[in-house]
Amino acid sequence: VHAVPGDPGNIKITTPDDWSDALRRVDEDDLAFRVGHGYDVHRFGGTRGLVLGGVSFPGEEGLSGHSDADVILHAAMDALLGAAGLPDIGHYFPPDDPRYAFANSATLAREVAGHLRASGFRIANLDLTLLAERPKIRERAETMREAIASSLLIDPARVGLKATTLEGLGALGRGEGIGCHAVALLRRAKGSA
């Protein structure tokens, strides 16, 4: 006979109270992590310069939109808000509200980060895929990751960023605009309900 290490997650259910405790733990564990997806797209033709991930791209045609039309930060904010079960960015920053005309999306992202903290969440990670024929972002990707992280008050190591073309397919593939997909993972902050 010898002792073997146990696993605290391997609980014994003997009584009705044990069953209730087990269900409570499962519910808490289910809420510990939350996943959200966001997507945004803007067409070229804006009167402003191009801003992607909080970084300006001088000499590139801008995107059309109410704010600075930063598709990366817009998709990121929607993914984060969705993971937290909060309303989308249109709720917080309505496109018909003149206060947000030409708004800096990095400033809006800081506000979203505040809503997440107030709701008891912290950002575990954020993964972003830019859909664009132009511009090529390889040379600026690290600067963009740092700007995105700074706007959300997180470490750049928590931000994944990559780009792909659409091989000439559809409106984005024809270079008519830029889109972005975002997936966010949130973790319930310790001590939050």
Side-chain angles (χ1 to χ4, degrees), residues 4 12 27 29 44 49 56-57 59 76 94 100 111 133 144 167 169-170 179 182 184 188:
V4 294
K12 180 181 172 194
D27 288 344
D29 288 346
F44 282 109
S56 293
F57 282 75
Y100 302 112
E111 189 172 325
E133 299 299 312
M144 294 166 71
E167 303 294 328
L169 299 174
R188 178 72 68 179

Side-chain angles (χ1 to χ4, degrees), residues 31-36 76 79-81 83-84 113 116-117 120-128 145 148-149 152-160 183-190:
L31 293 176
F33 287 99
R34 304 281 293 272
V35 175
L80 293 163
L81 290 166
L116 296 177
R117 284 191 307 279
F121 291 102
R122 64 183 179 87
I123 301 169
N125 79 302
L126 182 63
D127 187 33
L128 304 154
R145 283 180 64 240
I148 294 162
L152 294 168
L153 309 171
I154 60 174
D155 188 292
R158 295 181 183 271
V159 177
V183 177
L185 179 65
L186 300 183
R187 183 176 183 107
R188 178 72 68 179
K190 291 191 188 318

Side-chain angles (χ1 to χ4, degrees), residues 142-177:
E142 189 58 32
T143 302
M144 294 166 71
R145 283 180 64 240
E146 290 171 2
I148 294 162
S150 176
S151 69
L152 294 168
L153 309 171
I154 60 174
D155 188 292
R158 295 181 183 271
V159 177
L161 174 66
K162 63 246 177 246
T164 189
T165 67
L166 285 99
E167 303 294 328
L169 299 174
L172 296 181
R174 289 189 299 271
E176 295 174 21

